[in-house]
Amino acid sequence: MKKIVVLTGAGMSAESGLKTFRDADGLWENYPVQQVATHEGWLTDPTLVTEFYNMLRGKLNSAQPNEGHRLVARLEERYDVTVVTQNVDDLHERAGSSKVIHLHGELMKVCSSRNTEDTRYWQMLTADNSRVEPGTKAGDGSLLRPYIVFFGEAVPRMEDAVNVTYDADIFIIIGSSLVVYPAAGLVRYVKPGVPVYLIDPADVNAGISRVHHIQKGASAGMKELYELLMKP
């Protein structure tokens, strides 16, 4: 079974109504990124950060996967598909994708603020229980914080993403501006000769020459590509 790796960015979830840090001149929901998505912001005002992500979970809980998400999941009928996403939402999983690598964390997960990668203190939240009260402690006594890779922090699953990219038979990029590193550098690990498809309505510099650019939004572009990849 051929292996497909799908790298998705903010444009993938935009059609589901979810905003990104890059909307509106770098402000997200009217909060400066420095306040709500950096380690310094967390140390300065953990209550503000906790409530900000509570608000985002509320928005996520009312969002639904779009046709693009669903078509990516349906590729599993014929291919071994791994999604590598820069998004922190769970829309790929809710659409049915079985293998998802989250590079920038997961909105529906919380963790220890002393060691975000200590799996003993990870907690998965649910749609009907997604609020974290400010001051709630993790099992190690530290404050419970969002499992989000803040700006300036290491990307713990980057090695996993590199490994699956290196093994890919087909590489697809959907809705990523390819300007946020290290995720944007993944395309350099695609083996020579492997077809690369880019779905984005804008002009995007993928950094390599062999790119089939489908200049459409996530759902319309994925529909075109799905029909191509599922031909007998």
Side-chain angles (χ1 to χ4, degrees):
M1 186 179 285
K2 284 191 172 182
K3 296 180 179 180
I4 291 181
V5 172
V6 185
L7 172 64
T8 65
M12 186 84 228
S13 296
E15 291 182 24
S16 295
L18 298 180
K19 294 184 179 181
T20 75
F21 278 114
R22 297 192 170 271
D23 287 338
D25 300 321
L27 300 181
W28 196 13
E29 305 291 351
N30 301 315
Y31 287 86
V33 167
Q34 291 78 6
Q35 286 185 4
V36 294
T38 64
H39 187 63
E40 292 73 23
W42 167 258
L43 293 177
T44 300
D45 195 342
T47 295
L48 172 70
V49 176
T50 298
E51 292 289 18
F52 175 75
Y53 288 95
N54 282 334
M55 178 268 293
L56 288 189
R57 288 186 206 101
K59 292 181 179 294
L60 173 57
N61 291 337
S62 62
Q64 296 297 325
N66 58 56
E67 186 67 6
H69 291 109
R70 290 190 289 271
L71 288 171
V72 168
R74 284 180 62 189
L75 286 174
E76 294 188 18
E77 295 168 6
R78 184 176 295 180
Y79 297 93
D80 179 355
V81 183
T82 302
V83 176
V84 178
T85 186
Q86 296 170 272
N87 301 329
V88 298
D89 59 65
D90 61 353
L91 296 179
H92 278 297
E93 288 91 339
R94 282 159 55 188
S97 288
S98 62
K99 291 193 286 188
V100 183
I101 295 173
H102 285 272
L103 292 180
H104 296 160
E106 299 174 59
L107 186 54
M108 297 303 289
K109 182 185 286 185
V110 287
C111 61
S112 157
S113 55
R114 182 173 299 144
N115 180 1
T116 59
E117 292 307 304
D118 192 332
T119 59
R120 292 176 299 173
Y121 307 118
W122 285 357
Q123 297 179 34
M124 291 302 300
L125 305 175
T126 59
D128 56 1
N129 186 27
S130 63
R131 176 173 171 78
V132 176
E133 292 298 330
T136 303
K137 300 287 182 68
D140 62 357
S142 70
L143 284 178
L144 205 57
R145 65 161 260 188
Y147 185 71
I148 299 292
V149 178
F150 290 150
F151 284 90
E153 292 183 332
V155 178
R157 298 211 62 189
M158 192 62 198
E159 186 176 349
D160 295 335
V162 167
N163 289 338
V164 297
T165 298
Y166 187 74
D167 286 338
D169 298 302
I170 300 169
F171 192 78
I172 303 169
I173 304 160
I174 308 175
S176 175
S177 59
L178 295 179
V179 297
V180 177
Y181 283 83
L186 272 180
V187 71
R188 297 200 304 265
Y189 294 93
V190 178
K191 288 179 178 175
V194 168
V196 178
Y197 297 93
L198 168 65
I199 297 173
D200 201 289
D203 291 322
V204 176
N205 180 11
I208 60 173
S209 57
R210 63 180 196 282
V211 176
H212 308 275
H213 189 181
I214 299 174
Q215 209 152 0
K216 297 180 179 180
S219 293
M222 193 56 218
K223 184 175 186 296
E224 181 177 323
L225 182 56
Y226 177 84
E227 291 172 355
L228 175 68
L229 295 176
M230 297 299 277
K231 281 182 178 178

